[in-house]
Amino acid sequence: MTAITGDENRADDRPGDETGPAAGTGPAAGTDTGTEGGAVDGNSPEPPCEQAPGRPRESGEGRSGGCWDDGLIARRSGGRRREDGLAEPAGAEEHVPIGGAYGGPLRTRLDALRELVGLSSTRVESETLAEAGRVLDEASARQRLSARHTVVAIAGATGSGKSTLFNALAQVPLSETGLRRPTTSAPIACSWSEGSAGLLDRLAIPPRLRRRPLAGGADELSGLVLVDLPDHDSAMVRHREQVDRVLALVDAVIWVVDPEKYADAALHERYLRPLAGHAEITFVVLNQVDRLPGEAADQVLDDLRRLLDEDGMALGEHGEPGATVLALSALSGDGVDELRDVLGTFVQERTAPARRLAADVDAAAAGLRAAYVAEGLTGLDERAREDFADRLAEAVGAKAAGEAAEREWRRHAIRACGTPWLRLWRWYERKRLPGNGSGVSPATAPVEEELTARQRVEQAVRTVADAAAAGLPAPWAQAVREAAVRGADGLPEALDDLAAREAAATGKRPLRPAWWPAAVLAQMSMTLLQVYGGLWLVGQIADLLEPGLVVPALLMAAGIVGGPLVEWACTAAVRGPARRYGQDARRRLREAAAGCGRARVLDPIAGELMRYREVREQYATVAGRGGARAAGR
């Protein structure tokens, strides 16, 4: 083991402390200060009038009377000043987490992801949203911890030299190395500065496994928290589970490969390929290059880059963002300084947590693509709506109702303008017919008609639901169909009531055109001529009037011929108004049926489509450029 057994005993007495061989060169062993916001991770706040031990003064901190003002205490004590000089009450300003508030596109994407999960909770399966929920939880958890520290894990296969590289970076033997496999049985952490206890608690690394590096490296890698992981290909399941758990929480990863296992399928298929979107926080180190003769190291390194490219991982070359690929020998120290310089620059940028979170959001967006991205255009076009209205109109018999109204108009015109003798004959014929002249037994027809109408309504609903769900992702297509089915419940009965009301309204006495009084007067005149001519002839026969057959015969003939002519003219003239009347009746019934169908079926479908468009916009924000690239768009 290492020469820090005494410090480990002290660390066991104080959970959360960090100890190590160089503890005597800095603050007192067992202290852990320096978290942002002026409060130690889980401990008491810093003294307000002196600099916290081991904490460098930063340009963003202010002084008040020689005391450091961490902002949080000031807000709690007196609040901030408004422009009018009055102090605002405490808590009026938005709380800023210790890790700092996420800003820019990342904050927008997180807000959109949170909104997306909320809007989709009742439509998308919880298993599908699980990864998005985990990303939101981890974002919130990481934000509550120090942003001045970057947690970097060293991962690799058995015998790749992870622990040797871990010790080389710390410049002191902190992790066991040797031929026994597996050598590392639990994650071991090394912190280059104070204030990382909360981060290590999140990784579930106990205080007895927390180390400190050699004092000389404090300034160079200040803010780095290095974690040595067990072998990812260990024969022990517990070790592999620890690797997977820690890799999901750290800010960056150093993958250590050796010349023998750098092309291991388990490494590429299980880790590098699924984490290809995390290239900007990934370091791939080819270790043990001292074992390769001549130019073999360059050839192996080139082949490693080729494999990473096949995995879909971008390489950070020529100033492009991507994974950093290096070759070194942890045992001889060749190339370790270059890695230390790269890590120093990477840690001082303090962007690794945000980069990791952005990559996680990209991965979550790629996993959600199937649930939000439609194939082609979606929604109901005007043609589908018109087809639905036509089907409902057919179901309620709008066409038949229009034709019946047209026939009724014509019959009414004939009754009003026909000759009295013909009307009397037709009345007599109606009296002779069974069923009062209807010609249809009312007890037998409606049953079949009702069944046919119900089937037509159900078919219309299925057709419009399929048209609305076409191209939608499966959860939203199912939601659209369910909304249509719920709306169709009771629709046939509602259409029956509507048809009955429209039939009652249409069955009233039709309105007469303006020329009807003149036609009726003409028909009455023809009838009077017939009657007058007939009476004249009767008077002559009875010797009551002077004989003369020509004039009364002409009058009577004019009445007899003129009556049918007037009726024929009225019948011809009524065709246009009767057709328009029937069309109006058909249109009113169709519009009423379409309105009923729109309220019960189309509006719920439109609501689901609108909700889908809203979540699709949120998903587009979540995916962003990186998410769209990860999703293969």
Side-chain angles (χ1 to χ4, degrees), residues 460-479:
V461 172
R462 286 194 299 269
T463 301
V464 75
D466 291 341
L472 287 177
W476 302 99
Q478 181 66 21

Side-chain angles (χ1 to χ4, degrees), residues 99 239 255 258 279 296 343 431 463 486 512 516 518 530 543 614:
H239 293 178
W255 289 100
D258 58 70
L343 278 177
K431 287 297 184 180
T463 301
R486 289 193 302 268
R512 297 179 176 181
W516 274 27
Q530 296 178 47
D543 291 334
E614 184 176 355

Side-chain angles (χ1 to χ4, degrees), residues 379-539:
L380 287 176
D381 55 12
E382 194 63 28
R383 182 177 180 180
R385 295 176 182 273
E386 290 296 327
D387 181 68
F388 179 64
D390 291 339
R391 289 176 180 271
L392 292 184
E394 182 181 0
V396 298
K399 181 179 180 180
E403 293 174 351
E406 182 179 351
R407 289 193 300 268
E408 181 64 22
W409 180 281
R410 290 181 178 180
R411 284 195 298 267
H412 184 64
I414 293 173
R415 286 196 300 268
C417 303
T419 61
W421 327 116
L422 185 58
R423 289 158 58 186
L424 183 62
W425 172 257
R426 288 170 179 166
W427 174 80
Y428 175 73
E429 290 293 330
R430 288 197 302 270
K431 287 297 184 180
R432 289 179 57 190
L433 291 175
N436 204 20
S438 62
V440 179
S441 177
T444 58
V447 177
E448 182 180 358
E449 192 67 26
E450 181 180 355
L451 293 176
T452 303
R454 179 177 292 274
Q455 293 171 357
R456 289 176 178 174
V457 170
E458 294 175 352
Q459 179 64 27
V461 172
R462 286 194 299 269
T463 301
V464 75
D466 291 341
L472 287 177
W476 302 99
Q478 181 66 21
V480 166
R481 292 190 176 94
E482 291 177 355
V485 171
R486 289 193 302 268
D489 187 20
L491 179 59
E493 292 77 8
L495 291 176
D496 289 341
D497 296 339
L498 185 146
R501 291 194 302 269
E502 289 295 328
T506 306
K508 297 179 180 179
R509 188 179 182 89
L511 297 177
R512 297 179 176 181
W515 51 264
W516 274 27
V520 173
L521 181 60
Q523 193 64 263
M524 291 176 61
S525 301
M526 296 299 104
T527 304
L528 290 176
L529 289 176
Q530 296 178 47
V531 173
Y532 183 75
L535 292 176
W536 195 344
L537 291 176
V538 171

Side-chain angles (χ1 to χ4, degrees), residues 155-158 160 162 229-236 239-241 243-244 247 255-257 261 264-268 270-271:
T158 303
S160 60
K162 304 185 309 301
L229 297 179
D231 301 331
H232 71 77
D233 59 350
S234 173
M236 301 185 66
H239 293 178
R240 299 196 300 270
E241 291 177 348
V243 172
D244 295 340
L247 286 179
W255 289 100
V256 181
V257 298
K261 295 184 179 181
D264 185 17
L267 171 64
H268 289 269
R270 186 178 179 185
Y271 293 103

